[in-house]
Amino acid sequence: MATTSTPSHTGHDHDSPEYIKAQVRKYLVIGGLLYVLTVVTVVISYFELPTIPTLILGMAVALTKASLVALFFMHLIDEKRLIYYTLLLTMLMFAVCMLVPSLTTHSAVGEHQRVDVKAQGEVHHDKPAGDHGGGEAHH
Amino acid sequence: MSGHGANATVDGEIPHSVTSHPVTGINNGKFGIWLFLASEVMLFGALFSAYVLLRVGSLHWPTGFDAGLNIKVGAMNTFILIGSSVTIVMAWASLKLKDFSAYKKWMLITIIMSCVFLAVKLAYEWPEKFAHDHYPRTSNFYALYFLITGLHGLHILGGVVVMGYLLGPGSKLWHTNPEKLTGRIECTGLYWHFVDLVWIFLFPLFYLL
Amino acid sequence: MSDHGHHEQSFISKYVFSIDHKWIGIQYAVTSLFFLLFGFGLMMIMRYQLANPGATIPLIGGLMAGGTFFADNGSLGAEGYNMFGAMHGTIMIFLGVVPLAVGGFGNFVVPLQVGAPDMAFPKLNMMSYWVYFIGGVVMLFSFFVEGGPSQWGWTVYPPLSVIVDVGKLGQTIWLGGMVFLITSSLLGSINIIVTIVQMRAPGLTMFRLPFFVWSQLVTSFLLVLAFPPLEAAALMQFMDRVFHTSFFLPSGLVVSGKVLEVAGGGNPLLWQHLFWFLAHPEVYVLILPAMGIVAEVIANNTRKPLWGYRSAVYAAIFLGFTSFIVWAHHMFMTGMGTTMSTFFQTTTMIISVPSVIILTVFIISLWGGAIRFTVPMLFALAWMVMFAIGGLTGLPLGLTATDLHLHDTYYVIGHFHYVVAPGTLFGLFCGIYYWYPKATGRMLNETLGKLHFWISLVAMNMIFFPMFIQGMGGLNRRLHTQGTYQIGRDLEWLTKYQSWGTYILLFGSAIFFVNFWMSLKRGKVAGANPWNATTVEWAAPSPPGHGNFTSPVTVHRGPYEYSVPGKDQDFSPQFVA
């Protein structure tokens, strides 16, 4: 990343002391924000909410923190297209790896109609013989 | 053939090892480390995928609290790791500002903070679990907890080794090729922020949910 | 050539821990050829057992009778058969083909074809080779531990691979070996991607790159993104075996009449998903470099540009991308719902399209060409037919209705061996005959080369074609004694010809082996460009020195400017002004 001191396409001289010092100030602010969000995470735990709301809140905070780290500490807000495309491809494959196995083994995708089960007044859905190890996913 | 004119002195034999490529706008090391991080995303991603599959298919999955995970200790470790992300950025900035001794100071602090993180995990949190007879074999929650935090810890250890090298013998590069050393610290920083990023997800996933 | 003073390198730094991509490529190639031979040896013994059930294995059966692998009479035991089978697959894929295709050809050819002095990270390159070597040693070591090596197929599905742990250290060692091999692959592919993107010579735009370089680029992206999930899975299986976790063990599993004392709650399908998430892109890792090599050789030996170069490039990119979303066609029989199996069936049908496009590009490239039947060209031409058979036989496996009948039968083995053996391996032999002069400065002997080619072609078809018949008849795979089932007894007569095929193939391979070593000193001296080719590697001397090129390389045109009207030569190299 270290070129000789020609101005970058954004018009900043990425090597000037003023620019670096401004970046440092930004990093300290982001660091502070991350600390605040960590406290928020701990506070969420004290509410002892059910799983789904906790999951949503917790992951939302985590995503915010992760975005701050990625965009600012890792300079992604200012990065070159090559890196963006590489990461886009990676995120796509990450999503596939995360979601598809569960979709495939969770046999509710496919034949079984939830309607029948609900009509029987049961809260959890029955899994057929093709399932393994677990049963209802209740918390 | 290496180098085009002035860049050859900085790059050495390998074009764009330090200087930016005119079209892509980055140097080799930066692209290389991002590709490595892409593979790391897939590595931890597969483990998160296992978490999703096993949790959704499970009859009973404890919350972090039920499993005996101390969220305050986890939060403290989070503060430490985020702090080390800030300090490594300070180390890089020091080199950009040509302040070599500040660089060494910030690097040392980063290493120390990382070691504290590891110590809290390995000398307190894990033994505390073992003392309560919670081992990886006890349940899939613990199996995943120990595996993922263990793998994460190994990544921290690897980072510490690299940082130690760049603080010690590797820092001599400052005198012959300062731009190259700065580039290396930037790449190390990228790796380190990624390690921080993984923890940012691990912390709520195990301690909170 | 850049002079940095003439510092004499020690033997160790020049030949053992070399950071020169050419030598590292040769290290990968020679090492992988030995592993290919070893894997082939395992298979010869297995084929002998299949053709002569319960008979003493010639030569070694007597020596090793009663050990881990052989029964008291020196025949290959049932467990030994499974061990050899699992290790044959593992060794051929991870220690043989991929290191040769990517580590060998990728390392040697890519920097030369892009006009670079070396790879982007030479020291990392050196480390990648040695990590591969260590991984290979670890895998071989597993043969010698008590209980022998892994024996549950190269796919090592749990629960079976997890529950058998008393005295069976071999599987745990397999997992450790895989971690080394995966690490080596990851580092190597990062190196290749950065080299291709960042270090092309002036004038070498992406669409002036030889198709071989494109194939290596796509292959490397597959390795970077697909391998880590297998590493994660290997770690989990390691924990299941050593720390008695239950990642893959469901609750209530009964083994030998007793309920297994583990926490349970695990899922064997988790392994299958993570394994195949890698292993499907892995098969494209196996074929893409071979496609790249065949493209180079076809253009060169037809004295015509490659027809449809852009289509082939886009097809290769699309192939790579799609390869990530087809994996569960290896899992059609695991009980997934019809929605997901339809999804995977559809994507699998779609992925046959880019393969066909690439093959079509090659076939049409022959039209109107002045074909030179050099040894590389013979392999390239045969590759096209063999790959067509391999590819077509994949279609019934990708369609769920027919896969029902064919899954886990010999049909599958026939399909994938056609694409990998007379497919990829022919592509790699093609590359060896083509680039040997560049690497060594000498030509391989043409007569011996042609003998090697014809013998291999006949032998491979003798071995693998009957498998389609056996599979369609219902004979299942991984079966020590085919006569266990009636269908095996009915088709047993085929096994005799299959094992003759292995002897003939051994003979052909011996000819190649002799040619390879003999030509180092006795081969016809080759100049810089013995094939009158157009791509940049032929600008360098044969063999290239440190830094590769004697003067800076600039690229002026596309990669396959053959028979350009108005020129006095039938080829216009990229690197000549």
Side-chain angles (χ1 to χ4, degrees):
Chain A
M1 77 124 245
T3 53
T4 47
S5 52
T6 41
S8 79
H9 61 281
T10 58
H12 295 127
D13 180 0
H14 279 208
D15 288 345
S16 77
E18 298 76 36
Y19 182 73
I20 302 294
K21 291 205 175 100
Q23 292 286 88
V24 168
R25 274 193 292 278
K26 193 164 63 175
Y27 297 139
L28 291 172
V29 167
I30 301 287
L33 273 174
L34 289 168
Y35 272 34
V36 167
L37 287 169
T38 307
V39 171
V40 168
T41 312
V42 178
V43 165
I44 293 174
S45 74
Y46 281 104
F47 288 116
E48 287 185 26
L49 299 165
T51 310
I52 305 286
T54 314
L55 177 74
I56 296 175
L57 270 176
M59 283 300 119
V61 174
L63 265 167
T64 313
K65 288 164 76 178
S67 306
L68 288 173
V69 171
L71 288 170
F72 296 103
F73 283 179
M74 297 173 93
H75 302 135
L76 272 181
I77 201 162
D78 207 3
E79 226 351 311
K80 305 295 180 291
R81 275 190 320 185
L82 177 63
I83 303 296
Y84 285 152
Y85 291 147
T86 307
L87 283 177
L88 188 67
L89 180 66
T90 310
M91 284 306 139
L92 210 60
M93 297 313 167
F94 172 81
V96 168
C97 184
M98 281 287 285
L99 298 174
V100 175
S102 298
L103 277 176
T104 309
T105 55
H106 190 67
S107 46
V109 179
E111 295 87 359
H112 294 272
Q113 311 302 324
R114 296 196 189 203
V115 176
D116 295 340
V117 174
K118 270 202 179 145
Q120 287 159 37
E122 300 215 284
V123 174
H124 49 265
H125 35 268
D126 269 336
K127 304 257 174 96
D131 197 25
H132 349 267
E136 316 95 283
H138 68 87
H139 299 283
Chain B
M1 284 307 294
S2 65
H4 311 287
N7 288 350
T9 40
V10 175
D11 281 336
E13 281 196 45
I14 304 293
H16 307 297
S17 62
V18 180
T19 61
S20 298
H21 189 277
V23 174
T24 65
I26 51 176
N27 69 359
N28 298 347
K30 194 170 215 196
F31 190 27
I33 198 80
W34 272 113
L35 286 167
F36 178 66
L37 293 181
S39 78
E40 295 276 83
V41 166
M42 298 309 291
L43 179 67
F44 283 100
L47 290 172
F48 287 130
S49 165
Y51 178 94
V52 170
L53 197 76
L54 291 174
R55 182 164 186 171
V56 164
S58 69
L59 279 168
H60 172 66
W61 195 271
T63 64
F65 179 74
D66 291 338
L69 264 58
N70 186 327
I71 198 167
K72 291 206 269 284
V73 171
M76 180 184 81
N77 250 0
T78 310
F79 287 137
I80 292 172
L81 204 59
I82 292 175
S84 72
S85 259
V86 175
T87 56
I88 201 171
V89 158
M90 301 301 292
W92 169 79
S94 306
L95 283 184
K96 294 292 284 182
L97 296 169
K98 312 270 192 266
D99 191 345
F100 188 59
S101 55
Y103 153 73
K104 294 192 100 162
K105 178 186 77 179
W106 287 115
M107 213 41 164
L108 185 63
I109 296 176
T110 311
I111 293 173
I112 291 173
M113 289 176 86
S114 323
C115 292
V116 171
F117 181 96
L118 279 177
V120 169
K121 178 145 297 309
L122 295 175
Y124 172 68
E125 283 194 287
W126 279 24
E128 202 254 336
K129 301 279 166 311
F130 298 150
H132 284 95
D133 211 29
H134 295 312
Y135 292 95
R137 62 172 182 266
T138 308
S139 79
N140 274 340
F141 175 92
Y142 288 111
L144 277 166
Y145 168 77
F146 283 112
L147 175 60
I148 302 186
T149 60
L151 189 65
H152 180 256
L154 268 175
H155 279 78
I156 295 196
L157 189 63
V160 165
V161 169
V162 170
M163 286 192 278
Y165 170 77
L166 289 168
L167 176 63
S171 67
K172 293 195 193 63
L173 189 60
W174 179 249
H175 306 295
T176 49
N177 196 338
E179 279 190 45
K180 192 167 191 177
L181 181 68
T182 312
R184 283 184 172 176
I185 301 307
E186 190 180 5
C187 289
T188 308
L190 282 171
Y191 171 80
W192 197 250
H193 298 310
F194 177 77
V195 169
D196 189 18
L197 226 151
V198 172
W199 180 257
I200 283 173
F201 283 104
L202 286 187
F203 173 55
L205 199 68
F206 283 106
Y207 289 77
L208 183 67
L209 289 166
Chain C
M1 177 138 48
S2 40
D3 285 326
H4 302 277
H6 272 284
H7 47 275
E8 261 308 302
Q9 282 184 296
S10 68
F11 180 86
I12 299 263
S13 63
K14 195 165 177 200
Y15 293 115
V16 179
F17 296 116
S18 171
I19 61 171
D20 186 317
H21 73 100
K22 301 183 290 295
W23 186 250
I24 295 172
I26 292 170
Q27 285 178 308
Y28 266 109
V30 172
T31 312
S32 60
L33 284 169
F34 275 111
F35 277 120
L36 285 172
L37 189 63
F38 182 76
F40 177 63
L42 293 176
M43 179 41 72
M44 278 195 74
I45 299 172
M46 291 169 71
R47 275 279 139 212
Y48 188 88
Q49 152 64 22
L50 288 171
N52 312 282
T56 310
I57 309 289
L59 297 175
I60 51 171
L63 289 170
M64 297 177 64
T68 318
F69 312 104
F70 296 93
D72 286 332
N73 72 339
S75 68
L76 187 64
E79 276 192 352
Y81 183 91
N82 291 339
M83 289 174 191
F84 279 19
M87 294 310 284
H88 166 80
T90 306
I91 287 172
M92 290 306 229
I93 294 173
F94 295 113
L95 298 181
V97 177
V98 178
L100 179 56
V102 182
F105 285 105
N107 268 313
F108 189 91
V109 178
V110 167
L112 286 167
Q113 277 197 339
V114 301
D118 205 304
M119 291 282 248
F121 308 113
K123 290 191 196 124
L124 195 71
N125 205 11
M126 179 270 287
M127 287 197 310
S128 304
Y129 170 74
W130 283 107
V131 172
Y132 153 64
F133 186 84
I134 294 172
V137 168
V138 169
M139 284 293 188
L140 287 180
F141 176 68
S142 71
F143 277 92
F144 298 102
V145 298
E146 193 205 325
S150 173
Q151 55 177 287
W152 299 284
W154 78 289
T155 49
V156 290
Y157 282 3
L160 191 59
S161 58
V162 169
I163 59 178
V164 185
D165 67 353
V166 175
K168 300 265 170 84
L169 185 55
Q171 174 60 19
T172 310
I173 294 177
W174 186 96
L175 295 165
M178 283 309 295
V179 171
F180 281 103
L181 297 175
I182 293 173
T183 305
S184 166
S185 255
L186 281 176
L187 299 178
S189 27
I190 290 173
N191 225 336
I192 291 180
I193 296 174
V194 178
T195 304
I196 293 173
V197 174
Q198 299 270 110
M199 287 169 63
R200 284 163 288 131
L204 190 53
T205 57
M206 291 302 284
F207 280 96
R208 282 179 171 177
L209 283 170
F211 184 70
F212 177 76
V213 177
W214 276 107
S215 71
Q216 289 282 343
L217 181 66
V218 175
T219 301
S220 293
F221 265 105
L222 294 183
L223 289 170
V224 167
L225 295 175
F227 248 135
L230 178 60
E231 187 156 32
L235 288 172
M236 287 192 271
Q237 199 186 107
F238 181 86
M239 290 204 45
D240 270 10
R241 289 183 60 80
V242 177
F243 296 111
H244 307 293
T245 51
S246 307
F247 287 114
F248 307 120
L249 298 174
S251 308
L253 190 64
V254 177
V255 177
S256 305
K258 277 177 22 171
V259 175
L260 204 62
E261 278 178 29
V262 289
N267 192 343
L269 287 186
L270 175 62
W271 169 267
Q272 292 195 29
H273 279 294
L274 294 179
F275 178 86
W276 287 113
F277 188 87
L278 161 84
H280 192 82
E282 178 73 11
V283 313
Y284 295 100
V285 167
L286 295 173
I287 197 64
L288 275 166
M291 287 175 162
I293 296 172
V294 167
E296 300 304 301
V297 167
I298 285 181
N300 177 251
N301 287 288
T302 53
R303 315 309 291 167
K304 278 174 77 239
L306 203 67
W307 183 93
Y309 164 81
R310 277 206 180 224
S311 309
V313 169
Y314 290 134
I317 294 171
F318 182 70
L319 184 73
F321 187 82
T322 314
S323 72
F324 280 100
I325 50 173
V326 299
W327 80 84
H329 65 227
H330 299 273
M331 297 167 60
F332 279 143
M333 305 290 280
T334 58
M336 68 180 89
T338 49
T339 313
M340 290 311 286
S341 64
T342 309
F343 168 77
F344 282 110
Q345 174 180 264
T346 312
T347 53
T348 305
M349 289 302 112
I350 291 172
I351 205 174
S352 64
V353 173
S355 298
V356 172
I357 290 176
I358 292 172
L359 191 59
T360 308
V361 161
F362 293 165
I363 293 173
I364 298 184
S365 296
L366 297 175
W367 184 263
I371 299 181
R372 308 186 307 191
F373 290 96
T374 58
V375 176
M377 189 57 166
L378 289 173
F379 276 104
L381 290 170
W383 179 91
M384 287 167 26
V385 180
M386 298 292 105
F387 176 72
I389 295 175
L392 285 171
T393 52
L395 291 172
L397 294 172
L399 292 164
T400 52
T402 39
D403 188 59
L404 260 173
H405 181 60
L406 298 172
H407 178 71
D408 263 348
T409 65
Y410 262 90
Y411 188 91
V412 180
I413 305 186
H415 156 71
F416 68 69
H417 277 93
Y418 259 91
V419 268
V420 181
T424 298
L425 275 180
F426 268 26
L428 299 179
F429 282 130
C430 174
I432 292 177
Y433 284 96
Y434 187 59
W435 280 305
Y436 186 94
K438 178 56 56 189
T440 62
R442 300 203 179 246
M443 308 294 286
L444 280 165
N445 181 285
E446 193 169 347
T447 310
L448 293 180
K450 290 186 171 167
L451 270 172
H452 171 221
F453 167 73
W454 286 109
I455 292 174
S456 303
L457 183 64
V458 168
M460 285 195 184
N461 280 283
M462 273 178 82
I463 300 170
F464 302 121
F465 197 83
M467 291 183 179
F468 296 126
I469 301 168
Q470 292 165 326
M472 290 203 294
L475 185 63
N476 57 293
R477 57 189 290 198
R478 293 177 179 160
L479 189 59
H480 165 257
T481 308
Q482 286 184 351
T484 310
Y485 302 107
Q486 183 63 46
I487 187 63
R489 287 192 286 278
D490 289 343
L491 294 172
E492 204 157 22
W493 62 279
L494 285 167
T495 60
K496 186 169 63 182
Y497 299 108
Q498 290 177 301
S499 48
W500 288 3
T502 66
Y503 308 141
I504 297 170
L505 189 58
L506 183 69
F507 178 61
S509 307
I511 294 176
F512 168 73
F513 189 77
V514 164
N515 195 359
F516 190 90
W517 294 106
M518 190 187 79
S519 302
L520 281 176
K521 287 285 177 331
R522 312 257 224 94
K524 192 175 80 179
V525 173
N529 194 355
W531 303 114
N532 285 343
T534 52
T535 43
V536 180
E537 75 269 33
W538 305 103
S542 300
H546 180 72
N548 292 339
F549 302 97
T550 51
S551 53
V553 170
T554 312
V555 169
H556 303 273
R557 55 188 68 83
Y560 305 120
E561 300 289 307
Y562 289 99
S563 300
V564 178
K567 302 268 182 177
D568 47 346
Q569 277 183 306
D570 74 340
F571 68 109
S572 305
Q574 283 187 291
F575 49 89
V576 168

